[in-house]
Amino acid sequence: MNKWFKSGSPWIWLSAGGVSISLISVLGLLWLIASRGLSYFWPAELYQFDMVDEKGIATEVIGEIYDRERIPASQLAHLELNLDPEQTSIERLLIKTGNRELVSLDFRWILAPQIITTSTPEKLVVIERRTNGNFYGFIKQLILDGKPVAFSRFDELLERVDNFQEQLDKLQKVDIGAINYQLERLRLKQRKHDLDGTLTSALEEEFRQQSNSLNKEYVQLEEKLMQLRNNIARDALVVTAMNGEEITINFEHILKLSFNNQLSIIDKINVFFGQIIDFVLDDPREANTEGGVFPAIFGTVLMVLLMTVIVSPLGVIAAIYLHEYAGKNALTKLLRIAVINLAGVPSIVYGVFGLGFFVYMVGGSLDQLFYAENLPGPTFGTPGVLWSAITLAILTLPVVIVSTEEGLSRIPASMRHGSLALGATKIETLWRIILPVASPAIMTGIILAIARAAGEVAPLMLVGVVKMAPNLPLDGNFPFLHLDRKFMHLGFHIYDVGFQSPNVEAARPLVYATATLLVTIIVVLNMTAVKIRNNLREKYHALEQ
Amino acid sequence: MAATSIASKSIVSKSIYKSGRYANKRQFKNKLAQWLITLGGISVLFTLVLIFLYLLYVIKPIFASAEIEPIQSIETELSAKVFSIGIDELKELAYFIDGQGLINFYQIEESDFRDVGSKVLSQALLLDDVDNTKLKLLVDGSDKKLLIDNHNRIHLISPEFSASYIGDQRDIIPAITYPLGEESLVIDEQAEPIENIAFAMNDELAVFVAFTKDHRLIKTTFTAEDDFNYDPAYETQYQQISFQEKQVDRILVTPDLAMAFVQSGNKVFVYSLDDEDDVPLKALINPVGTTNMRSSAKELPTKELTSMALLSGGSSILFGNSQGEVTQWFEVATDNGREFKQIRHFEVSNNEAITNIFTEKYRKSFYTITASGEIGLFYTTSEADLWRGNLLGVQPTAFSIAPRADGLLMMKGQNLQLFSVENEHPEVTWQALWQEVWYEGYPEPDYIWQSSSGSDDFEAKFSLVPISFGTLKAAMYAMLFAVPIALSSAIYTAYFMTPALRKKVKPTIEMMEALPTVILGFLAGLWLAPLIENYLPAIVLLLVFLPAATLLTAFSWHKLPEKMKKRLPETLAPIILIPVLILAAYIAFTLSPVLEIHFFGGDIRQFITNDMGINFDQRNALVVGIAMGFAVIPTVFSMAEDAIFSVPKHLTSGSLALGATSWQTLIKVVLLTASPGIFSAVMMGLGRAVGETMIVLMATGNTPILDWSIFQGMRTLAANIAVEMPESEVGSSHYRILFLAAFVLFVFTFVFNTVAEFVRQRLREKYSSL
């Protein structure tokens, strides 16, 4: 034993334990996020519990099992549950009961000992709705234009409504949005002329005519909108909730209807993937706590793309300078310290700098110079997607520099010598020989920068992210790309929904799902980058031999 | 590299001479590219310097002291004594009230309609039935003036300004309003002459405290039937206050109508006005008294109380004395109930009496004036001595602070003089940011961060101590968690692990670095925090169980027969340990509720709060430590692993050849050689922990408290910026202090990173020379 201790073996094992803990935590973390996130999409079994509470009153609870935990029996002593005295803990279930219009909370704890029977009736249905969250219950009657009809016609009616709904969305977002946008631009144009002192009465008349015709168009569209709304509201569904309460759900609120307990495994898998696709492509509902995350994905991607456009040339040029041009002097040392520090400065400091310098100083000056007609309303003098992209570009600059420089340093000197010996100038050597060979390293740097930017939230909270953006930064209205607009971001979505939303409990699965999506994107990006880098190393290795 | 560039230069220089224009063009391109690339490279340095300088540029104004400059002086037609002066918000129109009962408005700044110095309006203060020339001004409030007429009745008047626009041009129009109606008001039922009076009013109540010629102190209350803003009708209540002194020098009433201060000689009587039926004496203050006795023993000139004023908000009172000192007093909760205490004092001038103290309406700044016209500007909370000087050479006959506190108006003879005051950030001084400050209403000086509140006259509390402390606390707990795990993993991975396994393990752990911190924060706040709360005993058990399980496994492996050892070599230890550790953790979590029932009365949280008296936050330092520890592990691991791995192999081979065990070699040779690298890894980790925002934001309650307790939360510099920056007004002190917080973070991490980088470069050179 003593000898064993002296050999140092226990210490070696302890340090191995450190590796194990690190591995367990990385993999455990990924597994935790993935399992919680993906289960959000899996169609849950629907339960009906018949219960008797401590006062002897029978109730019925319908819903999904959301969570279960054991609590010490002593905590519930006051309820007089007639338990086995041996039993020290009691199981309780958190049930998602939905039906928010009937009960104020859509979650409810029930105690396992109070449950008399548990069943999974095949006719139980879950209805996903536009407002008030899910509905759980039984179908009673389908009503077509006030007259009851057979339930088998449900799919046909829903499809009809979906059709109208699609038209409605297009009308609201695209057509009416465009008119509003044009009206606003018209107003600004007029104001600009007014400020410049070039507003003649003829011009004014022209503006008035244009705005009149736009307003007329608007009225027409509005009429169409009303018509569509009426069409959509034609049919309804009568359902019974738990405890026999009857309610009518109009078709305009119904998104999806599913008899989860009737689904086979293959059906469930289908539903699972369908749900994932919906999640990625849909707009959020109910203050972001339901629906999809499309605007957040779109905002993240757009911002990251803009950032890439800015950071790639800068980073590559800086790396080339450091590796190919810089001499061994104090300036180079300073530069290296600058790169290290840019990588080490807390991201929130970039946010503060971005807000003060880009948004208020640069943006404010731009507004004074070019967007005076909109003042005092800011155009670029307020957080937006452009400033976010620039701020993150500075933040990720060192990532690109370090990676590119590493790639450059791995290129064998013989390649440079060969090119120069053949009479090429330095820039020709760089452009024709070095950069093409180093391009995978540059790619690696850019991918790592993208991964970093996609996960960064703190600076964006100051320079452009919002919880709910009314318009995407890219749309069909000239000039199509609106760099001044605020945008939504997956990382901020997680923070906002998980911590700022009024109903955190209900939103939690969605947060896990969003987190899964974000982690997947980032892990895939990182693995790609590592893969490219490793391939590159091997290739250079081969070149050197 | 060096060889390459020399080679390239010589070859290129030869090729220039080879052929004519084409070569020139190529050469030009080459030069141009060199310039552009150099520019691009240097722009990185420029960016860092820009960030540094910009932060400084925003911060700088908060440490500037005040500046007062004359901007305008106009000649007026003042013939008699001047009672009061004032100015509008935009500093365009000034007025004075003279002994003739006239109010005169003058243009004092250029406008589109009138020249500077022109008289805009001159009007008798009161209606015809009063002799305007016999009026006396008794209270000169910043917006309401109290006048008394020859029938010993009083009048309240208020000069007002409204802006009207003619096209794009703005015109300021003056007017006089009567807050309590145009009728005169009877303060004393017995109609005795009033010697001294003070008042305060809100929408429903107006309270007057007056001292009459026959030595009665009286309180008169007007209660509006509805609201004074719409209807001046009121009911009156007259009360007499028990008061024995024969003389009253000054009276003040707090704006919340709660207290009256009555100065008689060197004594100040404080009366409570809250009670409807009675006006009890609340306290007796002796602002110069205690020092007086001591100084009389030394036969120094005695101190006299020469002025007093209420600070903005009315919670503090300032006393000026004959020896040029100002003291600030407010009520403090003590063991004997609430008592007035002297909080701080200001040495305003050398032995010259302070004849007047003027306070700003919305901030805790005050001006002092002495008999020789010496003017001082101070701020109480920060104890800032902002400005001193003599603007007029003599004492002004009237003095007024502009409504936005950006100007001073003074009367000297017939001249009305306007001064600009640049005093944007008086509440910030280096001491106020980093030292204990005694805030109004607090029992003692303290470090407090509380940047905003609903009320206008709120005393902002900007102490960076609690949030800097929170930053260090969070970083410390994170490092406590991360460093042991990261370093032991680094040692094992770099020194003991087989290359094949290392190739898989290293990227996996480094993957953690790429995980967005918002996800770590979200898991910490919504998953880990409740988990720790419910299974606290398990967390403590893990501290014992995990090492114990590891050692047990190691010992069992040691006892295994040789054949089995070959099959399951020691190099697989990390893999072997994974299931063991998971099992140990599982046991710890299953035991947790049992322990809780047997030792902690079923609920450990209640046990901690009730039996141990420790506050327990769900989102506490433990949660932050673990979550942020995870964020730091990969940083420390990656760099420490590199440092250990690149220790030259011949060093270890030498040690092993001399008969040392591999553990001895590790401790005595490898770690020693790599120690600078390990140090720089820890520094980098610390830098990351200090600046981390999202995890702390989501995993703590963000309360700025000074407490090391592991069960309490904290607020860090970074989280504070993220929380408050979006709401702070651009250019305000708050905004600039948040920039200062960012600057502190910047400098902090800059030092860490630079030191770490230097150490690393030295190490690299050492390795290469070995």
Side-chain angles (χ1 to χ4, degrees):
Chain A
M1 185 89 179
N2 210 351
K3 207 177 130 203
W4 177 63
F5 258 102
K6 271 199 175 148
S7 73
S9 175
W11 305 116
I12 298 176
W13 278 81
L14 276 179
S15 65
V19 179
S20 311
I21 292 177
S22 306
L23 288 176
I24 292 172
S25 49
V26 181
L27 301 175
L29 211 68
L30 293 180
W31 177 79
L32 176 78
I33 296 169
S35 64
R36 298 245 173 164
L38 292 178
S39 66
Y40 173 66
F41 304 114
W42 190 257
E45 199 86 349
L46 305 175
Y47 289 93
Q48 175 172 355
F49 302 97
D50 292 310
M51 330 188 8
V52 173
D53 70 4
E54 60 275 11
K55 285 175 202 132
I57 301 162
T59 48
E60 182 187 74
V61 176
I62 292 176
E64 294 174 19
I65 298 182
Y66 197 67
D67 200 3
R68 44 177 90 218
E69 66 173 31
R70 298 197 77 86
I71 47 171
S74 54
Q75 277 186 21
L76 297 169
H78 60 281
L79 286 180
E80 293 165 24
L81 289 169
N82 296 331
L83 294 174
D84 187 355
E86 300 279 294
Q87 213 170 348
T88 52
S89 65
I90 295 170
E91 188 176 32
R92 63 173 184 179
L93 310 171
L94 182 60
I95 308 296
K96 185 178 182 186
T97 55
N99 306 10
R100 217 177 291 153
E101 71 269 48
L102 298 177
V103 279
S104 55
L105 280 176
D106 40 3
F107 287 90
R108 179 157 162 192
W109 284 104
I110 60 171
L111 296 168
Q114 293 184 338
I115 299 172
I116 294 168
T117 53
T118 305
S119 55
T120 53
E122 293 224 319
K123 290 204 162 160
L124 250 181
V125 71
V126 51
I127 303 175
E128 213 178 299
R129 298 181 295 181
R130 265 173 235 280
T131 50
N132 284 332
N134 284 358
F135 172 85
Y136 299 92
F138 298 96
I139 306 275
K140 183 142 189 256
Q141 189 72 65
L142 183 64
I143 291 176
L144 193 156
D145 209 3
K147 289 176 214 89
V149 288
F151 180 71
S152 52
R153 292 189 63 189
F154 176 80
D155 285 341
E156 166 207 334
L157 295 183
L158 188 64
E159 202 170 309
R160 168 181 169 273
V161 169
D162 280 350
N163 244 332
F164 284 131
Q165 201 79 43
E166 221 164 86
Q167 289 175 32
L168 188 86
D169 278 353
K170 184 181 168 285
L171 205 63
Q172 257 173 336
K173 280 204 186 130
V174 181
D175 299 341
I176 294 186
I179 288 185
N180 281 333
Y181 186 78
Q182 281 169 21
L183 275 172
E184 175 64 12
R185 276 176 66 93
L186 209 61
R187 185 186 74 80
L188 289 179
K189 231 189 221 166
Q190 183 167 5
R191 188 159 153 69
K192 191 176 170 75
H193 280 294
D194 196 12
L195 285 178
D196 296 347
T198 52
L199 187 66
T200 58
S201 53
L203 261 175
E204 218 167 328
E205 185 54 36
E206 195 189 316
F207 282 130
R208 195 170 306 130
Q209 271 173 13
Q210 281 183 20
S211 97
N212 277 348
S213 73
L214 280 172
N215 276 326
K216 221 176 272 167
E217 234 175 285
Y218 185 86
V219 172
Q220 281 170 359
L221 286 177
E222 192 117 274
E223 246 167 55
K224 229 165 140 191
L225 202 71
M226 285 307 292
Q227 224 168 5
L228 274 174
R229 286 225 172 100
N230 285 337
N231 267 329
I232 287 172
R234 191 189 71 180
D235 307 334
L237 195 61
V238 182
V239 284
T240 21
M242 59 185 181
N243 295 324
E245 222 165 323
E246 226 171 74
I247 45 174
T248 308
I249 304 173
N250 197 295
F251 262 66
E252 63 181 321
H253 296 302
I254 299 178
L255 279 167
K256 235 182 270 173
L257 179 146
S258 160
F259 294 93
N260 278 2
N261 295 346
Q262 293 177 14
L263 295 178
S264 67
I265 273 289
I266 294 166
D267 291 338
K268 283 192 175 179
I269 290 173
N270 270 335
V271 173
F272 177 75
F273 284 107
Q275 299 255 48
I276 292 183
I277 291 170
D278 285 350
F279 180 69
V280 171
L281 295 182
D282 274 0
D283 281 347
R285 297 192 308 269
E286 303 265 312
N288 290 354
T289 60
E290 279 172 33
V293 290
F294 178 72
I297 297 178
F298 189 88
T300 312
V301 170
L302 183 76
M303 187 271 296
V304 166
L305 279 181
L306 279 173
M307 178 213 75
T308 311
V309 170
I310 301 163
V311 75
S312 313
L314 275 179
V316 171
I317 287 176
I320 290 176
Y321 175 76
L322 273 174
H323 193 261
E324 308 281 328
Y325 285 89
K328 266 202 165 178
N329 53 28
L331 179 71
T332 314
K333 259 196 177 153
L334 269 178
L335 259 175
R336 290 201 182 279
I337 288 176
V339 173
I340 289 289
N341 271 300
L342 276 181
V345 168
S347 55
I348 189 79
V349 175
Y350 288 102
V352 170
F353 171 72
L355 179 73
F357 186 75
F358 292 127
V359 176
Y360 292 135
M361 209 159 148
V362 180
S365 318
L366 282 181
D367 279 1
Q368 300 276 343
L369 287 174
F370 303 112
Y371 300 94
E373 68 272 18
N374 200 13
L375 287 173
T379 310
F380 276 102
T382 179
V385 66
L386 176 67
W387 304 133
S388 302
I390 296 182
T391 307
L392 284 197
I394 302 179
L395 185 98
T396 51
L397 190 60
V399 180
V400 179
I401 295 178
V402 168
S403 178
T404 308
E405 209 194 336
E406 204 218 89
L408 289 174
S409 70
R410 279 179 192 274
I411 296 175
S414 56
M415 290 184 77
R416 289 187 187 83
H417 292 173
S419 165
L420 293 168
L422 289 171
T425 61
K426 193 165 183 180
I427 185 66
E428 283 162 355
T429 308
L430 268 175
W431 189 248
R432 300 267 163 85
I433 310 288
I434 307 295
L435 280 185
V437 182
S439 59
I442 296 171
M443 206 56 216
T444 310
I446 293 172
I447 293 174
L448 287 177
I450 289 176
R452 172 94 200 263
E456 200 58 72
V457 178
L460 295 182
M461 286 163 70
L462 304 184
V463 291
V465 144
V466 283
K467 58 163 76 180
M468 195 69 223
N471 307 92
L472 294 177
L474 188 67
D475 62 17
N477 299 321
F478 184 82
F480 310 118
L481 181 61
H482 305 274
L483 291 176
D484 54 321
R485 281 193 187 159
K486 295 181 175 59
F487 65 105
M488 291 172 72
H489 182 272
L490 278 176
F492 184 72
H493 201 74
I494 293 173
Y495 168 67
D496 178 61
V497 180
F499 288 81
Q500 318 272 322
S501 80
N503 193 352
V504 172
E505 188 64 45
R508 198 182 306 188
L510 183 123
V511 183
Y512 274 107
T514 317
T516 313
L517 187 66
L518 185 58
V519 168
T520 313
I521 294 172
I522 285 168
V523 168
V524 167
L525 282 173
N526 267 286
M527 292 209 311
T528 318
V530 170
K531 194 114 209 154
I532 294 177
R533 188 160 55 190
N534 286 347
N535 281 346
L536 191 69
R537 278 183 191 166
E538 272 158 34
K539 204 166 86 188
Y540 291 150
H541 214 64
L543 270 176
E544 262 172 353
Q545 279 160 0
Chain B
M1 236 342 278
T4 324
S5 57
I6 291 167
S8 68
K9 261 176 209 158
S10 59
I11 290 164
V12 166
S13 53
K14 268 177 212 157
S15 65
I16 306 171
Y17 303 106
K18 275 192 181 161
S19 55
R21 282 182 60 195
Y22 179 60
N24 268 336
K25 202 171 152 196
R26 285 174 62 208
Q27 198 51 33
F28 173 73
K29 263 191 187 167
N30 192 27
K31 273 269 173 242
L32 186 73
Q34 183 175 351
W35 270 104
L36 286 177
I37 289 172
T38 309
L39 200 72
I42 291 179
S43 71
V44 176
L45 185 62
F46 172 75
T47 311
L48 190 75
V49 173
L50 180 70
I51 294 177
F52 181 83
L53 290 181
Y54 182 75
L55 292 180
L56 266 186
Y57 161 79
V58 177
I59 297 160
K60 215 186 97 236
I62 52 176
F63 294 115
S65 59
E67 270 177 49
I68 303 181
E69 303 279 344
I71 47 175
Q72 196 62 260
S73 171
I74 54 170
E75 184 91 20
T76 64
E77 295 164 1
L78 176 69
S79 51
K81 196 173 143 47
V82 60
F83 278 151
S84 170
I85 55 175
I87 194 163
D88 75 311
E89 256 186 42
L90 299 163
K91 297 191 291 183
E92 281 192 15
L93 284 190
Y95 65 86
F96 66 85
I97 297 172
D98 64 13
Q100 304 286 331
L102 287 177
I103 184 163
N104 302 283
F105 291 89
Y106 281 80
Q107 193 76 32
I108 199 155
E109 275 287 285
E110 205 52 55
S111 91
D112 297 321
F113 300 94
R114 277 172 298 271
D115 293 332
V116 173
S118 60
K119 198 193 250 182
V120 181
L121 176 75
S122 180
Q123 188 183 334
L125 283 174
L126 296 177
L127 299 173
D128 310 330
D129 60 333
V130 184
D131 183 358
N132 274 303
T133 60
K134 297 257 171 67
L135 283 173
K136 264 189 239 155
L137 179 95
L138 286 185
V139 180
D140 185 11
S142 61
D143 50 357
K144 294 186 191 75
K145 324 272 177 191
L146 187 148
L147 299 150
I148 190 158
D149 62 23
N150 45 348
H151 308 299
N152 294 327
R153 294 187 173 186
I154 65 145
H155 306 262
L156 281 189
I157 66 147
S158 169
E160 275 185 7
F161 302 90
S162 53
S164 76
Y165 289 86
I166 302 164
D168 267 357
Q169 295 166 322
R170 182 185 56 214
D171 193 17
I172 306 285
I173 295 162
I176 303 178
T177 58
Y178 303 88
L180 283 180
E182 289 171 13
E183 300 279 311
S184 61
L185 309 165
V186 179
I187 294 297
D188 183 17
E189 280 178 304
Q190 300 169 25
E192 283 286 323
I194 289 168
E195 293 211 318
N196 231 316
I197 187 168
F199 80 100
M201 64 181 284
N202 57 30
D203 293 343
E204 287 120 34
L205 276 180
V207 174
F208 295 81
V209 176
F211 187 68
T212 58
K213 203 167 181 186
D214 57 348
H215 307 321
R216 281 177 304 120
L217 189 64
I218 55 170
K219 173 193 172 195
T220 305
T221 314
F222 296 151
T223 312
E225 281 172 7
D226 186 18
D227 186 312
F228 285 133
N229 290 328
Y230 312 114
D231 178 15
Y234 55 83
E235 284 169 19
T236 321
Q237 184 196 10
Y238 297 100
Q239 283 164 293
Q240 184 158 350
I241 305 172
S242 79
F243 186 72
Q244 266 72 45
E245 309 290 324
K246 299 281 174 255
Q247 165 215 348
V248 164
D249 299 293
R250 284 168 196 89
I251 307 178
L252 295 172
V253 176
T254 57
D256 58 355
L257 314 182
M259 283 187 287
F261 297 89
V262 181
Q263 181 204 345
S264 170
N266 281 347
K267 280 184 278 189
V268 176
F269 298 83
V270 186
Y271 291 94
S272 169
L273 304 179
D274 287 335
D275 201 332
E276 258 186 43
D277 309 316
D278 190 21
V279 188
L281 181 66
K282 192 174 180 170
L284 176 62
I285 313 179
N286 232 329
V288 292
T290 45
T291 39
N292 230 3
M293 280 194 284
R294 222 180 302 141
S295 58
S296 64
K298 288 177 195 165
E299 294 191 9
L300 285 168
T302 50
K303 279 187 194 171
E304 299 282 339
L305 185 56
T306 53
S307 51
M308 73 177 191
L310 282 171
L311 207 57
S312 160
S315 315
S316 291
I317 183 158
L318 300 169
F319 298 111
N321 65 32
S322 55
Q323 295 195 352
E325 287 171 357
V326 171
T327 53
Q328 182 193 0
W329 294 63
F330 54 73
E331 263 190 310
V332 170
T334 65
D335 295 338
N336 316 325
R338 294 176 71 78
E339 276 179 17
F340 274 91
K341 272 202 173 161
Q342 179 178 333
I343 304 304
R344 46 179 78 93
H345 87 283
F346 298 85
E347 296 285 342
V348 172
S349 75
N350 269 338
N351 294 328
E352 205 186 345
I354 293 160
T355 53
N356 254 316
I357 302 175
F358 293 93
T359 54
E360 271 182 27
K361 195 169 177 193
Y362 296 111
R363 300 189 301 187
K364 313 280 176 192
S365 305
F366 66 92
Y367 292 85
T368 57
I369 300 179
T370 66
S372 62
E374 199 75 45
I375 290 176
L377 170 57
F378 302 86
Y379 194 85
T380 56
T381 316
S382 59
E383 301 190 16
D385 185 343
L386 295 163
W387 194 89
R388 283 159 198 249
N390 200 329
L391 289 168
L392 301 178
V394 294
Q395 194 176 2
T397 49
F399 182 97
S400 171
I401 302 170
R404 287 185 185 166
D406 55 355
L408 286 181
L409 187 69
M410 285 185 256
M411 195 74 153
K412 177 194 181 187
Q414 285 190 321
N415 270 345
L416 209 43
Q417 301 198 6
L418 180 64
F419 298 85
S420 70
V421 175
E422 211 153 291
N423 185 23
E424 290 290 318
H425 311 288
E427 63 271 63
V428 191
T429 58
W430 198 247
Q431 288 98 307
L433 287 175
W434 298 105
Q435 286 176 6
E436 284 183 329
V437 174
W438 202 338
Y439 298 104
E440 282 180 357
Y442 281 75
E444 57 196 12
D446 207 348
Y447 301 109
I448 289 166
W449 174 271
Q450 191 190 355
S451 55
S452 55
S453 134
S455 77
D456 270 350
D457 44 34
F458 164 73
E459 188 176 34
K461 299 167 184 68
F462 294 126
S463 176
L464 284 180
V465 173
I467 45 179
S468 305
F469 172 87
T471 311
L472 292 180
K473 179 181 169 188
M476 192 201 75
Y477 280 111
M479 294 310 274
L480 272 182
F481 179 82
V483 167
I485 295 178
L487 288 189
S488 63
S489 320
I491 289 169
Y492 192 90
T493 313
Y495 190 66
F496 295 110
M497 203 175 270
T498 57
L501 195 57
R502 178 172 179 267
K503 227 174 149 183
K504 295 238 173 344
V505 168
K506 202 178 176 208
T508 311
I509 299 183
E510 281 171 347
M511 177 94 72
M512 235 153 108
E513 190 158 25
L515 275 187
T517 53
V518 67
I519 286 178
L520 289 176
F522 142 71
L523 284 178
L526 292 185
W527 178 76
L528 187 64
L531 186 80
I532 286 182
E533 192 189 11
N534 292 335
Y535 292 96
L536 195 56
I539 305 297
V540 183
L541 279 183
L542 280 181
L543 282 180
V544 185
F545 272 30
L546 294 184
T550 311
L551 288 178
L552 211 66
T553 319
F555 192 67
S556 335
W557 185 85
H558 177 66
K559 290 285 172 200
L560 276 184
E562 284 300 320
K563 229 174 114 188
M564 287 287 283
K565 278 193 189 176
K566 283 236 171 74
R567 279 247 211 100
L568 211 67
E570 202 170 9
T571 46
L572 282 183
I575 310 296
I576 299 169
L577 281 173
I578 287 180
V580 176
L581 293 181
I582 291 178
L583 186 72
Y586 179 77
I587 294 171
F589 276 89
T590 349
L591 278 180
S592 176
V594 182
L595 281 181
E596 222 172 337
I597 287 167
H598 288 291
F599 295 104
F600 304 109
D603 188 346
I604 191 161
R605 189 178 164 160
Q606 274 180 8
F607 182 81
I608 289 176
T609 4
N610 299 345
D611 296 18
M612 293 167 74
I614 300 172
N615 282 331
F616 186 94
D617 295 340
Q618 193 199 41
R619 295 183 183 169
N620 53 37
L622 182 62
V623 179
V624 174
I626 294 176
M628 199 146 75
F630 275 123
V632 174
I633 285 176
T635 314
V636 179
F637 167 82
S638 174
M639 290 182 65
E641 207 266 357
D642 280 342
I644 298 170
F645 191 73
S646 48
V647 170
K649 284 284 168 292
H650 58 260
L651 287 180
T652 49
S653 312
S655 165
L656 290 170
L658 287 172
T661 62
S662 61
W663 182 255
Q664 282 168 328
T665 310
L666 174 78
I667 297 291
K668 303 265 163 72
V669 178
V670 177
L671 287 190
L672 216 61
T673 324
S675 57
I678 294 172
F679 169 77
S680 81
V682 174
M683 289 295 264
M684 283 289 204
L686 194 60
R688 174 133 195 227
V690 161
E692 179 46 54
T693 313
M694 292 317 287
I695 294 178
V696 217
L697 188 63
M698 297 159 93
T700 73
N702 288 311
T703 34
I705 46 168
L706 273 170
D707 191 336
W708 278 115
S709 164
I710 195 166
F711 296 124
Q712 295 231 309
M714 78 285 282
R715 177 181 279 206
T716 69
L717 286 166
N720 188 50
I721 296 171
V723 171
E724 298 191 359
M725 190 58 115
E727 276 138 43
S728 81
E729 180 198 340
V730 182
S732 64
S733 299
H734 183 211
Y735 175 83
R736 293 183 198 277
I737 288 176
L738 292 178
F739 267 75
L740 177 68
F743 184 73
V744 169
L745 272 181
F746 181 90
V747 171
F748 224 60
T749 44
F750 184 87
V751 170
F752 283 152
N753 288 322
T754 311
V755 168
E757 177 62 14
F758 261 116
V759 170
R760 236 157 45 114
Q761 292 209 342
R762 286 279 293 279
L763 189 69
R764 215 174 287 151
E765 279 159 26
K766 200 169 90 188
Y767 282 161
S768 61
S769 69
L770 277 170

